[in-house]
């Protein structure tokens, strides 16, 4: 119901997230990106995005077929709205 208000499309802009991660890591703290499809994260930060969605609630989109990094990607929650989401 509140998808448009709460969802932040990190595939469109990673500037703020990347800056936040850089600050946290520069202070010696561990940072992880939970539940981020890998292709929505710039390559330099992908090591911080483990596949964290459990198998029973994980799904992939049609566009994921043939993806070279699928085995490392956590995909999407089963209930991820198919008509909303990441632009890139
Ligand atoms: S499997 Fe799908 S969501 Fe994951 S990186 Fe590949 S295209 Fe993106």
């Amino acid at each position: 119901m509140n998808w448009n208000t709460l969802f932040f499309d990190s595939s469109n802009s990673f500037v703020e997230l990347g800056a936040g991660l850089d600050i946290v890591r520069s202070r010696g703290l561990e940072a992880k990106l939970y539940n981020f499809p890998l292709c929505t994260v710039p390559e330099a930060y992908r090591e911080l995005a483990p596949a964290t969605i459990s198998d029973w609630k994980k799904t992939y989109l049609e566009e994921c077929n043939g993806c070279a990094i699928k085995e490392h990607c956590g995909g999407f929650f089963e209930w991820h709205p198919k008509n909303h989401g990441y632009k890139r």
Side-chain angles (χ1 to χ4, degrees), residues 11-65:
S11 73
N12 256 351
S13 173
F14 204 82
V15 174
E16 294 90 350
L17 271 172
L21 289 166
D22 292 345
I23 290 170
V24 166
R25 296 169 80 197
S26 74
R27 303 300 191 271
L29 299 173
E30 187 179 15
K32 294 286 183 200
L33 297 168
Y34 276 70
N35 311 330
F36 279 68
L38 279 186
C39 56
T40 71
V41 177
E43 281 189 42
Y45 295 96
R46 286 183 183 169
E47 66 177 12
L48 303 178
T52 49
I53 301 176
S54 305
D55 286 347
W56 66 272
K57 54 186 174 182
K58 176 169 56 177
T59 191
Y60 294 94
L61 306 179
E62 261 187 59
E63 292 89 335
C64 300
N65 293 332

